[in-house]
Amino acid sequence: MGFFSLTRKLAVDLGTANTVIIEDGKIIIDQPSYVTLNKKTDKVEWVGAEAYRRFEKENNDLSTVRPLKDGVVADLDACEYMIRGMIRMATTKKHFFPTSLKVVVCVPSGSTDVEIRAVRDAAEKAGANEVYLIHEPMAAAIGIGIDVMEPTGNVIVDIGGGTTEIAVISLGGIVNNKSIKVAGDEFTNDIVDYMKVEHGIRIGERTAEEIKKNVGSALEQLDDEPDPYTVVGQDLASILPKTVDVNYHEISTCLDKSITKIETAIGNALDDTAPELYADIFNNGIYLAGGGAQLKGLDKRLQSKFQIPFKIAEDPLYSVANGTYIALQNSDKYTLLFK
Ligand code: ADP
Ligand code: MG
């Protein structure tokens, strides 16, 4: 290595909804996981926030996609473009000298070899000399501050955009893992459908996202009640604009079915857990991570359902990225990274 060369180390959380990159303990990229492709030229026009700005507004030549929509790599090429775009965005931000690049990317624990290879290839094409991977629930647990190497059972429920991942962890390994395709995106779809059926208006995904963040609720009655949220959509009958005040009570009803599916998956994961680990889990509580953990009343609802404390991670949107970064910094201590 030359005199001036540096090794840059990036921790990459490639999420279905958001991509986060940490370097030197700082978040340097926090962008929606979108790419805009030009169908005529097959070129990537925008990546991240710039692509999201154009989502649902593109013309015939442009297509904005979420390469990881359903949790795993849905579109290999688009995924590769996105990873490359994000890493390039991170690496062109500073440093003048040519550097070698070490990257750790987290992958869902159910990823196939093909998906893992796609992620690795994309990182290499973006200039990484060394690429390591880590399983997402393990990264989330480390990010939350759990000592994952201990012989203690811990459960992480990571509710992202495309999937909810439920993992039981002990002794530095994943004992038990369940992944379902019910998470933030599904909540958003529920809201789009609900607005159509109950209020007779058409809204896009972004508006539904805003409803979810403002008046999304897992409980019909919250202690801290949010004000109704006003949206404008297109009236299905008259095709004219229509304003609707949406309250959290109705959104809790609309999300109930999807939340019940998450409850069932958590129940199944707990059912499959050895008794000694279950006892630990009862004592330690279950950690909620991912953006979906912020849904109002969700922790309380799960706690009363399972009679186990549910704790929301301190930075639920960044637990995985933080853990990936810690694993990268301590790769000798944690033998959790793989190639
Ligand atoms: P991923 O890891 O799959 O990229 P994230 O952990 O970044 O997903 O979470 C993104 C999801 O969290 C999105 O569906 C987003 O709408 C949802 N989300 C973010 N904030 C909130 C909130 N306050 N209430 C409910 N859902 C939220
Ligand atoms: Mg995630």
Side-chain angles (χ1 to χ4, degrees):
M1 223 175 269
F3 192 66
F4 287 114
S5 71
L6 285 161
T7 299
R8 297 190 60 188
K9 295 192 270 181
L10 304 182
V12 183
D13 169 10
L14 192 64
T16 64
N18 298 296
T19 297
V20 179
I21 302 184
I22 298 186
E23 182 179 28
D24 295 331
K26 285 196 286 286
I27 294 169
I28 56 165
I29 296 283
D30 183 2
Q31 301 263 344
S33 300
Y34 286 75
V35 277
T36 305
L37 303 168
N38 188 320
K39 288 187 269 187
K40 271 197 174 152
T41 61
D42 261 348
K43 268 180 50 186
V44 180
E45 299 281 353
W46 294 283
V47 174
E50 284 299 308
Y52 183 59
R53 236 158 55 78
R54 287 147 173 110
F55 181 57
E56 294 181 330
K57 296 184 180 181
E58 52 269 270
N59 60 37
N60 289 338
D61 292 342
L62 298 176
S63 131
T64 298
V65 295
R66 285 176 59 187
L68 299 153
K69 196 161 188 196
D70 292 321
V72 284
V73 182
D75 179 337
L76 280 181
D77 288 337
C79 177
E80 186 182 312
Y81 293 141
M82 192 179 73
I83 300 175
R84 277 160 62 184
M86 295 283 187
I87 292 180
R88 289 222 175 106
M89 223 187 278
T91 49
T92 51
K93 273 198 170 158
K94 51 177 183 176
H95 288 297
F96 174 69
F97 295 111
T99 52
S100 71
L101 185 62
K102 177 174 173 178
V103 175
V104 179
V105 190
C106 62
V107 288
S109 42
S111 305
T112 63
D113 289 346
V114 173
E115 287 158 354
I116 288 176
R117 197 174 328 121
V119 169
R120 198 190 306 117
D121 286 354
E124 281 170 0
K125 283 187 189 152
N129 318 76
E130 275 183 278
V131 182
Y132 296 90
L133 303 155
I134 182 169
H135 284 128
E136 240 167 55
M138 198 54 89
I142 296 170
I144 286 167
I146 294 169
D147 189 346
V148 294
M149 305 312 272
E150 280 294 301
T152 305
N154 279 291
V155 184
I156 311 296
V157 177
D158 179 351
I159 307 174
T163 58
T164 294
E165 307 271 332
I166 301 148
V168 182
I169 288 170
S170 177
L171 283 170
I174 295 167
V175 180
N176 188 344
N177 179 71
K178 299 254 181 302
S179 172
I180 57 164
K181 289 182 178 161
V182 179
D185 294 339
E186 193 71 13
F187 297 159
T188 303
N189 292 338
D190 291 342
I191 294 172
V192 171
D193 291 346
Y194 175 86
M195 295 302 289
K196 212 180 278 169
V197 174
E198 294 298 322
H199 292 290
I201 64 168
R202 241 157 44 92
I203 57 166
E205 264 179 48
R206 294 150 175 272
T207 303
E209 279 275 329
E210 289 310 309
I211 295 177
K212 177 175 70 176
K213 287 180 187 162
N214 284 279
V215 286
S217 172
L219 290 173
E220 228 180 300
Q221 198 56 52
L222 290 170
D223 296 335
D224 203 357
E225 300 189 308
D227 291 333
Y229 183 73
T230 307
V231 295
V232 182
Q234 186 188 37
D235 189 289
L236 285 169
S238 68
I239 330 186
L240 297 173
K242 182 175 168 186
T243 305
V244 176
D245 287 332
V246 189
N247 67 56
Y248 82 89
H249 306 288
E250 52 180 332
I251 300 304
S252 79
T253 316
C254 126
L255 299 180
D256 184 58
K257 249 196 197 146
S258 294
I259 296 169
T260 303
K261 288 183 191 157
I262 293 177
E263 287 176 338
T264 305
I266 297 174
N268 290 341
L270 293 175
D271 256 358
D272 291 350
T273 304
E276 290 301 327
L277 291 176
Y278 182 81
D280 293 341
I281 293 161
F282 178 76
N283 288 322
N284 294 339
I286 293 179
Y287 290 90
L288 290 173
Q294 302 183 107
L295 186 73
K296 295 174 189 46
L298 183 64
D299 51 340
K300 204 170 162 194
R301 170 166 169 166
L302 295 173
Q303 185 151 327
S304 71
K305 164 108 189 158
F306 292 102
Q307 302 290 306
I308 295 175
F310 274 76
K311 306 171 192 173
I312 302 172
E314 200 174 317
D315 286 319
L317 279 165
Y318 302 121
S319 316
V320 170
N322 285 333
T324 306
Y325 176 72
I326 295 168
L328 166 69
Q329 291 300 96
N330 301 279
S331 41
D332 45 337
K333 176 179 162 207
Y334 295 118
T335 45
L336 304 170
L337 301 182
F338 58 98
K339 284 209 165 194

